[in-house]
Amino acid sequence: MAYDAVNMADWQISEAAEENMPTPEQWQEKLGLDKAEMLPMGRLAKIDFLKVIDRLKDKPDGKYIEVTAITPTPLGEGKSTTSVGLMEGLGMRGKNVGGALRQPSGGPTMNVKGTAAGGGNSLLIPMTEFSLGLTGDINDIMNAHNLGMVAMTARMQHERNYNDEQLARLTGMRRLDIDPTRVEMGWIIDFCAQALRNIVIGMGGRFDGYTMQSKFGIAVGSELMAILAVATDLADLKDRINKITVAFDKSGKPVTCGDLEVGNAMAAFMRNTINPTLMCTAEYQPCFVHAGPFANIAVGQSSIIADRVGLKLFDYHVTESGFAADIGFEKFWNVKCRFSGLKPHVSVLTSTIRALKMHGGGPKVVAGKALDDAYTKENLGLVEKGVENMVHMIGVIRKAGINPVVCINRFYTDTDAECAIVRKAAEAAGARCAESKHWEKGGEGALEFADAVIDACEEGNDFDFLYPLEMKLRDRVNKIATEVYGADGVDWAPEANAKAEMLENDPKYADFATMMVKTHLSLSHDPVVKGVPKGWRLPIRDVLIYSGAKFLCPCAGTISLMPGTGSNPAFRRIDVDPATGKVSGLF
């Protein structure tokens, strides 16, 4: 049943849909799960993925469908809505379908953008739980990560206060001799807290810590979140946590969570995060929520674990990559699929008339401010100029050997003539194209879209990676910059170049994934530049080392690992009714 999305708020649609939301016990029956494979948590449940995978290990995988997008406006172009709409459309066609989406961060939820659970008739339910911590994975990650920082700072204090003999006698620990100017980790919090980007800690006396500069990042950018996205099981998670590089000692050797003897305790905090949480669409297709890393500063994917379970349980499994194809799809293609060994059947490129108009030279789009009339009234000229960005992204996906399906995520203000321009350009670039009104009409509005995806899944592809693992880090970055972003080349800051050279010469890092850190608002490193920029070079200022996740993260431009809260944040609208406990204003 589709609700009146034009006149009903998302929370009203969610509330209505939740009245008939299946219980954990009903999901157990619907999905054919054993009782021991369901881990109820209130009106939601986690799935014991190892039990499911083991029982279904000989069952063939379903069709693997990835959803990405063109370069978005700051408002986002509806990848989650499109992913949910596709599940609903495939469900309307009678297919056994499910998916996997990322858990939203409290940062954007309480900031200008708000929560990210889809919208209209294509949203995940229950929305309040989804938006406010769900089953606690991000909270567990924060506790585990910050425990690592507590271990490091306490160790630095004690090593300063005790000589080697006292240290050995009192604690049995060896001196790690951490260099306070070469600390890789910072603290994390799941809010956009610009005041914590650069801090000084340990003020006071000799028993009040170690005085030094430190920092906070947003929780979903933590290496622990990246590890959760790529881990295969709890043993793998524990091993990776112990290998995290927290800092370097004064001789330049890495100091890990294992060296600090804190990694096992961190894994204990994260023991429950390893199992995906089961939610559903407003039309009751199952959808796992697991991991929630940003794509501009992290891997930007829901977990390999959730995809592996979904491919066993569903004939069609939909997974989403963060932000645009230059970022999210590139990491899905060259990192996630390489780590998982899974091969996608098709990728969906979400496109909106709004974003194409912006790329065609339309007025600036600012989150929290009303859209200019150019975006809500027909303007064929802006669409014509803006399709270049979409065509570029089609080319990126085709480099992976996949022929994409372009989904025109149609808003009710878009016109037939505007959509016709997009369809013509997409098909001329060799892609399938379908309009979809899933936001307005749910699965019924996504039938053309679902049919295009079904057809594409039956068509073979020549999926392959952009570069071999043997390629050196700086060569990989150059290939990504030139062939994915469209840059003329790469300019390395002296410190970043020296770090890259050191990493290239150490065989320990030879098989680490290359995880670019770049703005999502432009193909370039500059968020102001729209369309398909020409005649530019990508500046790399640093390379972060995620030795547990096995990522090397070249940082382009001035992107921050801690976003800032805007002047008109969403938390101003959020309230709770003390009589009923009902939350309002979230979406």
Side-chain angles (χ1 to χ4, degrees):
M1 171 187 173
Y3 301 94
D4 182 3
V6 176
N7 294 303
M8 291 176 70
D10 285 351
W11 68 266
Q12 292 173 309
I13 293 174
S14 178
E15 196 172 74
E18 285 172 39
E19 291 182 8
N20 296 307
M21 185 178 75
T23 64
E25 293 74 23
Q26 290 171 322
W27 277 123
Q28 181 188 329
E29 183 178 348
K30 282 174 177 282
L31 297 178
L33 296 172
D34 295 338
K35 186 175 182 181
E37 294 169 351
M38 294 288 289
L39 307 169
M41 302 187 75
R43 58 176 178 166
L44 294 170
K46 280 179 171 280
I47 303 296
D48 190 321
F49 86 96
L50 276 179
K51 288 188 173 70
V52 175
I53 288 291
D54 184 61
R55 179 171 60 84
L56 300 178
K57 59 181 179 294
D58 296 325
K59 182 184 177 185
D61 286 349
K63 304 294 187 183
Y64 194 24
I65 303 159
E66 185 262 356
V67 178
T68 185
I70 63 173
T71 304
T73 70
L75 307 176
E77 301 319 302
K79 278 191 316 305
S80 297
T81 310
T82 297
S83 299
V84 173
L86 177 57
M87 292 179 227
E88 292 173 338
L90 289 167
M92 191 71 70
R93 287 296 192 216
K95 303 298 184 182
N96 170 25
V97 60
L101 298 182
R102 291 168 295 155
Q103 183 180 353
S105 163
T109 296
M110 294 295 157
N111 201 0
V112 178
K113 186 176 180 182
T115 192
N121 281 291
S122 293
L123 48 78
L124 284 189
I125 59 173
M127 280 189 75
T128 296
E129 282 86 344
F130 185 57
S131 305
L132 295 179
L134 202 59
T135 50
D137 290 354
I138 292 179
N139 187 65
D140 290 341
I141 285 168
M142 283 194 290
N143 281 333
H145 181 115
N146 289 332
L147 178 63
M149 287 298 291
V150 167
M152 184 199 74
T153 52
R155 185 65 166 264
M156 293 174 75
Q157 171 192 316
H158 296 314
E159 288 190 10
R160 179 198 59 203
N161 289 349
Y162 301 130
N163 61 36
D164 288 352
E165 184 277 325
Q166 291 171 315
L167 197 65
R169 176 168 48 83
L170 293 171
T171 69
M173 297 187 301
R174 66 181 176 87
R175 184 173 296 276
L176 294 178
D177 208 21
I178 293 169
D179 184 345
T181 68
R182 296 197 63 192
V183 174
E184 291 286 307
M185 276 180 73
W187 310 84
I188 61 167
I189 187 173
D190 200 38
F191 297 119
C192 299
Q194 59 266 48
L196 297 176
R197 282 177 186 154
N198 300 289
I199 60 173
V200 175
I201 60 173
M203 303 291 284
R206 59 193 298 266
F207 296 109
D208 297 318
Y210 190 98
T211 305
M212 62 179 179
Q213 185 173 340
S214 191
K215 61 189 176 182
F216 267 83
I218 194 162
V220 292
S222 167
E223 183 172 356
L224 292 178
M225 180 62 87
I227 288 172
L228 182 61
V230 301
T232 55
D233 52 31
L234 187 57
D236 184 40
L237 180 103
K238 179 178 172 181
D239 180 64
R240 287 174 179 273
I241 290 173
N242 275 291
K243 290 177 179 175
I244 291 173
T245 298
V246 180
F248 289 89
D249 68 19
K250 291 175 183 175
S251 67
K253 295 178 182 177
V255 177
T256 66
C257 289
D259 293 328
L260 287 165
E261 300 177 78
V262 70
N264 294 343
M266 293 166 68
F269 260 117
M270 289 184 64
R271 70 196 185 283
N272 292 322
T273 69
I274 202 73
N275 293 310
T277 298
L278 178 62
M279 294 183 63
C280 67
T281 74
E283 294 183 2
Y284 312 121
Q285 286 78 34
C287 183
F288 294 119
V289 175
H290 200 216
F294 287 173
N296 56 344
I297 59 175
V299 67
Q301 316 288 323
S302 54
S303 72
I304 289 173
I305 284 173
D307 285 352
R308 288 176 61 209
V309 175
L311 287 167
K312 292 300 182 186
L313 290 176
F314 314 131
D315 295 334
Y316 290 84
H317 175 73
V318 180
T319 195
E320 176 200 351
S321 297
F323 296 125
D326 61 317
I327 301 179
F329 173 78
E330 189 276 312
K331 294 174 180 181
F332 171 82
W333 168 22
N334 293 303
V335 180
K336 186 179 183 183
C337 289
R338 200 189 300 265
F339 277 30
S340 70
L342 299 172
K343 174 185 172 183
H345 289 80
V346 68
S347 284
V348 171
L349 183 66
T350 307
S351 303
T352 64
I353 300 298
R354 176 178 69 194
L356 293 172
K357 286 179 175 178
M358 179 192 72
H359 290 299
K364 187 176 182 180
V365 177
V366 180
K369 292 187 178 181
L371 283 170
D372 188 277
D373 286 348
Y375 295 104
T376 55
K377 294 180 180 177
E378 185 173 270
N379 191 318
L380 303 183
L382 289 180
V383 179
E384 283 275 12
K385 294 175 183 175
V387 293
E388 186 184 14
N389 183 273
M390 177 190 71
V391 170
H392 179 93
M393 297 303 188
I394 291 172
V396 169
I397 295 170
R398 288 175 69 90
K399 283 180 185 289
I402 299 172
N403 190 25
V405 172
V406 172
C407 172
I408 304 174
N409 178 20
R410 185 163 178 174
F411 301 170
Y412 63 92
T413 55
D414 300 336
T415 69
D416 290 344
E418 289 173 330
C419 292
I421 292 171
V422 180
R423 184 184 294 271
K424 181 179 178 181
E427 292 176 346
R432 287 179 170 84
C433 186
E435 289 183 31
S436 189
K437 296 183 178 180
H438 45 265
W439 180 90
E440 186 178 355
K441 298 181 179 180
E444 183 183 347
L447 293 179
E448 179 194 354
F449 176 28
D451 290 343
V453 170
I454 291 169
D455 288 345
C457 283
E458 295 306 317
E459 179 182 85
N461 64 49
D462 300 312
F463 181 78
D464 199 7
F465 303 115
L466 180 65
Y467 51 82
L469 270 182
E470 296 75 32
M471 183 176 282
K472 296 291 189 181
L473 173 63
R474 284 172 292 183
D475 293 333
R476 293 188 199 180
V477 174
N478 187 71
K479 199 168 185 66
I480 294 169
T482 56
E483 296 196 25
V484 176
Y485 307 157
D488 290 342
V490 180
D491 293 327
W492 293 80
E495 298 84 355
N497 192 63
K499 201 170 185 180
E501 185 175 7
M502 177 272 290
L503 293 165
E504 289 174 351
N505 290 330
D506 189 335
K508 177 173 61 179
Y509 301 108
D511 63 344
F512 276 37
T514 300
M515 187 66 57
M516 300 298 294
V517 177
K518 182 183 81 72
T519 180
H520 62 291
L521 295 173
S522 173
L523 276 164
S524 77
H525 59 284
D526 184 349
V528 174
V529 179
K530 305 303 180 184
V532 182
K534 301 290 194 299
W536 63 281
R537 297 177 65 83
L538 184 73
I540 301 295
R541 60 177 174 82
D542 194 8
V543 182
L544 306 180
I545 301 170
Y546 281 13
S547 53
K550 296 188 74 174
F551 296 166
L552 298 179
C553 308
C555 299
T558 57
I559 188 168
S560 172
L561 302 185
M562 170 55 84
T565 289
S567 59
N568 187 23
F571 63 70
R572 298 179 66 203
R573 304 188 300 268
I574 297 170
D575 198 0
V576 59
D577 186 329
T580 64
K582 181 179 173 181
V583 176
S584 60
L586 259 176
F587 28 80

